[in-house]
Amino acid sequence: MSVFNSVNNHCLGKILELTETNDVVASDDIYDTQGVKLWAKGGKISASLQERLASRKLRTPLELTLEVENGITTGDVADDCQKVILSNPVMCHLANNKAALAALSHLRMVRLPSALKLLLAAAYENRRTHEYLHELHTIALCAGFAAYARLSAMDTELLLSAALLHDLGVLYVNPELLEPSRRLTAREWASVAVHPRVSHMVALEIGKLRDEVGMGIGQHHERLDGSGYPFMLTKEKISPIGSILAAADAMAAIIERGGEGAAYQATLAIKLIPEEFNPVLKAYICTSLRDLVSAASCGDQPCYEQTRDVVEKLDQVEQKVAELLQGAAGKVHELLAMAGNICHNVRKALRATGVDFLLQSYAPGGEGAFCGEVYHIVHEAGWRLRNISRTLQLRADALALDEQAMLAPLIAILESPPAA
Ligand SMILES: [Fe+2]
Ligand SMILES: [Fe+2]
C-alpha cells in the first residue's frame, strides 16, 4: 500500500477547484480498502466527493481513478514557453535561437499518463499564477541549456519532462504556507521543503516514469556542495538531470521576477559560490547573458548596515560551529560540517569579491561605497546563511533531544534579527 492510498486534502482541493473550469470524471469505480464503493465509473466529480472520501483509505490512489477533460496539454505549455522566451529580454538571450526552440518542441512529444495530465491541470490550468510562470521559465531555461550543451533528442525529452513535472509535489502542500509574504516556522518549512520528495513519488508511483526522471525531479532543490534540501545530497549523489534542473530552477526564480537587473543578479547568483551549481549550466548562463550584464544594472541600493550584519553573523556562526564541532559526533557532526562548509564558501565569495576588505577598511562617512554590486553579493550571502538555519531545522526533527539542544544556540544565532 502506498502513501497515495490516503487522500491528500490539499491535492483534492486543487482537483475540486479544477472542476470549476473542466470536467473531471471517475475513470473507474472508486472503492475504499473495505470494499465500499464511493463513486461510480463515469461519474462527474463534484464537491460531495470530499465528504465521501473523508479520512478513508482507498483501494487505488485517487489520482489513478480520475481523469480531466480538455486539460492543459504539453503543447499548450510549449506555446506559453515560447511566449515567455520572446517577451522577456533575459529569456530571449537565453533561448531565442533555432536550436533552443527545436529543443522545446520535444516537450510536445512527451506522452503523459492520464493521472499526470490530471495533476498538471490541477496545478496549472489557471495560467495566471506565479507558479505557472515559474514552470515556464524553468522549462524554457532547460530547453536553452539542451541546445547549448547539444543534448541528444532523448536526453532533451527526459530533461524537459522533469522540468514540466518538478513542482507537482507542491499540490500536496497546504496553500497557506506558500504565500510569499508568510514567514514559516520550522515545522511549516519542513512541510514545504518535502515537496521535491513528493514530486519524485508522484513521478514514480502515479506517473510510472523512468527512474532517472523521477530522481532528477526529487533533486531539484539540492546543491552540489550539499547545501540544498531535502536531503543535503552532494555532487556524487546528484544525477545529471537533478543538477541541471536545480540550477535552472534557481535561475528561473530570479529571471521570472523580471526587471532590468535580472540578468546581472542571475549571473552573480550562479557564480558567487562556485561549488553550488552545475558548471556547464553556469557557463551557459554567463555566456548567454554577457551582453546584458553591465555595471549600470547593479542598481544603487545602499547596504552598509546589511553588509555589516551579514559579516557579523557569519563571524558568529563560524565561531559557534567550530566550538560545537569539538564535542559533536554522528549526524550532528555531519550537520555542523555542512554548516561550516557553507560558511567557508560564503567567506571565500566575500573575499573574492572584495566585500570583506571593503568592510574592514570602512571609515565613517564611507557608506557610499556600499551599493551596486555589493548589495547583491551581500543579499546572496545572507540567503546562504538563512538556508543553513532552514536545513538545520529540517534535519533537527530526526535527532535525539540532546542533539537538538546542541544545535539550538547555532540556530538562534542564524535566526537572530540584525542589530538595531
Ligand atoms: Fe520546487
Ligand atoms: Fe521549481
Side-chain angles (χ1 to χ4, degrees), residues 198-224:
V198 179
S199 299
H200 182 185
M201 289 158 65
V202 165
L204 294 190
E205 293 183 34
I206 302 294
K208 315 285 181 212
L209 298 184
R210 289 167 65 146
D211 198 32
E212 61 209 291
V213 176
M215 197 188 297
I217 286 173
Q219 296 169 342
H220 79 262
H221 285 298
E222 301 289 351
R223 298 285 179 264
L224 301 183

Side-chain angles (χ1 to χ4, degrees), residues 134-135 138 166-167 170 195 220-221 249-250 252:
H134 168 70
E135 178 75 8
T138 309
H166 78 280
D167 270 333
V170 173
H195 81 267
H220 79 262
H221 285 298
D249 180 88

